Amino acid sequence: MKIVTVGTGMAAAEFVQRLRLAGFRGEIVMCSDENFAPYSPCVIPFYLAGEPLDTVFWKGKDFYQHYRVTPRLSDPVVEVDAEKRIVRTVAGRAEAYDRLFYAAGARSWYPCPEWLETQGVFGFKTLTDMVAIDEYIKEHNIKKGVVFGGGFIGVDAALALRHRGLDMMLVHRNNRILSQMTDKEGGQFATRKLARKTGIDIRLKCTVSEIVADGGQLAAVKLSDNSMIETRLLIVAIGISPNSEPLCGHDKGVPVDRQMLAGAGIYTAGDVAVTPHAVTGETGIYATYPNAMQQTRTAARHLLHGDGQYAGSVNTNVLKKHIDFPIVSAGSFTGETVTWQQGDIWRRVYLEDDMINGYIIIGDTRISGYIYQLYLSRKKVDSTIKKVLSAPRHDAYYRHMLGCGQEP
Ligand SMILES: Cc1cc2nc3c(=O)[nH]c(=O)nc-3n(C[C@H](O)[C@H](O)[C@H](O)COP(=O)(O)OP(=O)(O)OC[C@H]3O[C@@H](n4cnc5c(N)ncnc54)[C@H](O)[C@@H]3O)c2cc1C
């Protein structure tokens, strides 16, 4: 049996590793538009912040040799012919498969794609982006920059570059950063603390409306409040869209069943897959590493053993990068609130029918594993939840109480 993967990202690398470790001896071909060994996008900002490039290759730089894979790199797949079981690439290659693992992830979404023609404007999604930003900063001795977009990836970008020593401005259209992973109060708390702890200049209720170039290079950006900011570096991180066109003909993601099958002989997983939520059942794209891993393991198990099904995704978000100020959240922010705050620590759960509907934990996230278990298990909680929120105990203590770990 011949396996072809579209993508060499987190899902595809995990899939291939699972198959080989389980003894799969057939041919494996991995196709990518980039020219790298599989890397983890979660840690590429650390490279920009100053860590060695090799640390991003999470399953080893020699992955293709080690797992006996034929890589087809720098050649994007443009079409999947599901009837003939062939993928076609930009360069005109036709790669036949018996089983396809479609894991092309997502790409940055740009409000004005033509901005990218100006030197100094970048996305923040791939290792190719990071290498280009790194070279540009070095070559032009860049000391300050602007990030447009205060979501998870935009904040990650601003933190990484601040850590590198640049003066950073973060421009976000909402009244708080991380608006999808926080509610209003938690988000505003996080915004104030991040600004104070990092010195990042955060401009809220604002967008980048124009860029100004000088000889093809970025010179300034104009904000929607009419202020003009001089900068030679702009990172655009205001959204992503799934790379589902080669398989589906549209960019709305790939719908799957509980075995992660998108069609006969075609598995999918990761940031391109449309899956149900584990608690609410709502279908959507839940673009995080833990979801990608669970989906991939389901697909690998089904291919190898013909059984297993996906339990559903969870919209958890964890920001724990470049700064000692973690933020964790999950679920939906509706229902009765129970909040606890002390100094730099802010914790809130949302309750409905005495069950946790969602939660936000900021500043000290050691209890988040326990809250996560309560959320997933749909256990009823009572007023003691307030005590739990104020607890300084470590995750391991609660894991022990749940019968899944040693008492610390
Ligand atoms: C900067 C950043 C930080 C992040 N931090 C976190 C974090 O802290 N925690 C977390 O849970 N998640 C984080 N994520 C999200 C996480 O990286 C993704 O959820 C995960 O990588 C999904 O795996 P994937 O395989 O679906 O996509 P990817 O790992 O993005 O892989 C997609 C692959 O498809 C390839 N590809 C795309 N189009 C084509 C084509 N047409 N033909 C061939 N190949 C193609 C790409 O080159 C790539 O190899 C972060 C993402 C970014 C960008």
Side-chain angles (χ1 to χ4, degrees), residues 219-326:
V221 296
K222 188 175 177 192
L223 305 188
S224 52
D225 63 5
N226 280 328
S227 52
M228 192 65 89
I229 312 294
E230 270 182 37
T231 182
R232 287 183 293 154
L233 173 65
L234 171 67
I235 308 257
V236 182
I238 60 169
I240 54 172
S241 53
N243 293 318
S244 48
E245 292 93 335
L247 182 60
C248 306
H250 59 67
D251 66 354
K252 294 180 172 51
V254 182
V256 288
D257 66 12
R258 287 282 184 175
Q259 282 69 46
M260 300 308 298
L261 277 162
I266 303 176
Y267 292 93
T268 189
D271 290 1
V272 78
V274 177
T275 59
H277 191 278
V279 173
T280 65
E282 196 180 328
T283 52
I285 293 183
Y286 299 97
T288 66
Y289 158 74
N291 290 323
M293 291 304 98
Q294 289 310 321
Q295 294 160 9
T296 299
R297 287 166 197 161
T298 305
R301 184 186 166 109
H302 191 260
L303 189 146
L304 289 164
H305 308 293
D307 65 3
Q309 59 170 5
Y310 185 52
S313 301
V314 182
N315 59 329
T316 40
N317 276 295
V318 182
L319 185 80
K320 257 186 185 172
K321 291 181 181 172
H322 315 289
I323 178 175
D324 180 24
F325 188 63

Side-chain angles (χ1 to χ4, degrees), residues 133-347:
I133 296 168
D134 182 51
E135 282 171 1
Y136 178 78
I137 289 174
K138 285 181 187 149
E139 192 184 332
H140 297 276
N141 195 22
I142 301 296
K143 299 281 183 216
K144 61 179 195 173
V146 173
V147 174
F148 178 21
F152 188 92
I153 292 180
V155 171
D156 210 350
L159 284 172
L161 292 170
R162 180 78 198 107
H163 193 80
R164 187 179 173 131
L166 274 69
D167 284 335
M168 293 305 298
M169 176 182 286
L170 184 61
V171 178
H172 190 48
R173 66 176 174 185
N174 211 305
N175 59 7
R176 61 190 193 272
I177 56 163
L178 301 170
S179 32
Q180 283 183 0
M181 69 179 282
T182 59
D183 61 5
K184 190 173 171 202
E185 211 184 323
Q188 289 180 344
F189 179 87
T191 305
R192 282 194 302 274
K193 295 292 167 186
L194 272 176
R196 188 169 61 70
K197 278 176 172 273
T198 62
I200 294 172
D201 180 0
I202 300 177
R203 303 288 177 97
L204 298 171
K205 295 193 201 163
C206 217
T207 59
V208 173
S209 49
E210 271 174 51
I211 63 167
V212 181
D214 181 8
Q217 187 184 15
L218 185 72
V221 296
K222 188 175 177 192
L223 305 188
S224 52
D225 63 5
N226 280 328
S227 52
M228 192 65 89
I229 312 294
E230 270 182 37
T231 182
R232 287 183 293 154
L233 173 65
L234 171 67
I235 308 257
V236 182
I238 60 169
I240 54 172
S241 53
N243 293 318
S244 48
E245 292 93 335
L247 182 60
C248 306
H250 59 67
D251 66 354
K252 294 180 172 51
V254 182
V256 288
D257 66 12
R258 287 282 184 175
Q259 282 69 46
M260 300 308 298
L261 277 162
I266 303 176
Y267 292 93
T268 189
D271 290 1
V272 78
V274 177
T275 59
H277 191 278
V279 173
T280 65
E282 196 180 328
T283 52
I285 293 183
Y286 299 97
T288 66
Y289 158 74
N291 290 323
M293 291 304 98
Q294 289 310 321
Q295 294 160 9
T296 299
R297 287 166 197 161
T298 305
R301 184 186 166 109
H302 191 260
L303 189 146
L304 289 164
H305 308 293
D307 65 3
Q309 59 170 5
Y310 185 52
S313 301
V314 182
N315 59 329
T316 40
N317 276 295
V318 182
L319 185 80
K320 257 186 185 172
K321 291 181 181 172
H322 315 289
I323 178 175
D324 180 24
F325 188 63
I327 303 172
V328 176
S329 72
S332 53
F333 307 139
T334 53
E336 182 197 339
T337 59
V338 182
T339 310
W340 180 82
Q341 188 200 330
Q342 193 173 71
D344 272 356
I345 307 171
W346 191 94
R347 294 166 173 168

Side-chain angles (χ1 to χ4, degrees), residues 6-12 31-34 39 41-42 44-45 75-77 103-106 124-125 130 152-153 156 243 246 269-272 287-290 292 318 321:
V6 179
T8 54
M10 299 197 89
C31 306
S32 179
D33 56 342
E34 287 192 277
Y39 64 84
C42 307
I44 52 178
D75 187 10
V77 168
F124 201 82
K125 183 71 183 72
M130 302 301 136
F152 188 92
I153 292 180
D156 210 350
N243 293 318
D271 290 1
V272 78
T288 66
Y289 158 74
V318 182
K321 291 181 181 172

